[in-house]
Amino acid sequence: MGLAGLARLHGLFAAYKPPGLKWKHLRDTVELQLLKGLNAGKRPASEHRVRFLLGPVEGSEEKELTLTATSVPSLIDHPLVRGPAFTSLKIGMGHRLDAQASGVLVLGVGRGRRLLTDMYNAHLTKDYTVHGLLGKATDDFCEDGRLVEKTTYDHVTREKLERILALIQGSHQKALVMYSNVDLQTQEAYEMAVSGEIRPMNKSPMLITGIRCLQFAPPEFLLVTAFLCLL
């Protein structure tokens, strides 16, 4: 790719992060692969310099030496002397995921990093699929965390779970209106609420905009949730 490739390396792209991998490791891996491509490009031809080399005089039977002007390549830009031409690349992250979470990360390179700010200001929602297990609790809420509590779950039904989810969503909807600084008495606010366009205008905690149960097979259950968070 070389310099010509670097000039074209602008934009946003998505990368999948598997569970168990930290987001920074993914970012560093992407940077390493892009740098390999940039450094694999053909470098400009080496410049030549005139050097005076000591050598025998042509046609002389005696061992006389003389200086002869000779054009030799300059090694100052040789890869073994200077090293790789590109050693770092600025890559921005649109958001982050926990180490145990899996999903799509949006990365920006070059002028594409400016678009990450526009994406943040658009207040887009994030959708998560959550796998849960009834009857157990760990210290970090992850399946591989230290078990701190164990209890029965026979009394938990899908109807009861969905009632709890509705209460959670309702309380977060009220908080969303509060953080949006929108006057609900206006027609514009009503139309925004109906179309789901109400967004927090300033920094806010995590606000759930939608949550529902996709699967309920005790002790396992599956939730899908969408939320907003402006930090």
Side-chain angles (χ1 to χ4, degrees), residues 10-14 92 94 106-109 111-116 119:
H10 301 283
L12 298 176
F13 59 95
V106 179
L107 296 88
V109 61
R111 291 190 295 271
R113 291 184 296 128
R114 303 175 187 174
L115 299 177
L116 294 175
M119 187 178 71

Side-chain angles (χ1 to χ4, degrees), residues 141-160:
F141 303 103
C142 296
E143 60 180 354
D144 57 350
R146 182 173 60 88
L147 184 65
V148 295
E149 187 177 355
K150 189 174 182 180
T151 186
T152 60
Y153 54 85
D154 296 338
H155 61 287
V156 181
T157 63
R158 180 163 189 159
E159 290 73 18
K160 291 181 178 179

Side-chain angles (χ1 to χ4, degrees), residues 102-178:
S102 62
V104 176
L105 290 174
V106 179
L107 296 88
V109 61
R111 291 190 295 271
R113 291 184 296 128
R114 303 175 187 174
L115 299 177
L116 294 175
T117 303
D118 297 335
M119 187 178 71
Y120 174 82
N121 293 333
H123 303 167
L124 302 175
T125 60
K126 299 177 182 179
D127 294 346
Y128 276 84
T129 301
V130 182
H131 297 263
L133 188 66
L134 298 172
K136 292 183 180 181
T138 59
D139 58 344
D140 58 357
F141 303 103
C142 296
E143 60 180 354
D144 57 350
R146 182 173 60 88
L147 184 65
V148 295
E149 187 177 355
K150 189 174 182 180
T151 186
T152 60
Y153 54 85
D154 296 338
H155 61 287
V156 181
T157 63
R158 180 163 189 159
E159 290 73 18
K160 291 181 178 179
L161 176 61
E162 289 180 342
R163 271 202 304 269
I164 295 298
L165 297 180
L167 291 174
I168 293 174
Q169 181 171 339
S171 62
H172 279 253
Q173 288 288 350
K174 293 180 180 179
L176 179 61
V177 173
M178 180 182 66

Side-chain angles (χ1 to χ4, degrees), residues 15-26:
Y16 173 76
K17 189 193 84 66
L21 184 71
K22 294 183 178 180
W23 66 267
K24 190 177 185 303
H25 182 76
L26 173 65

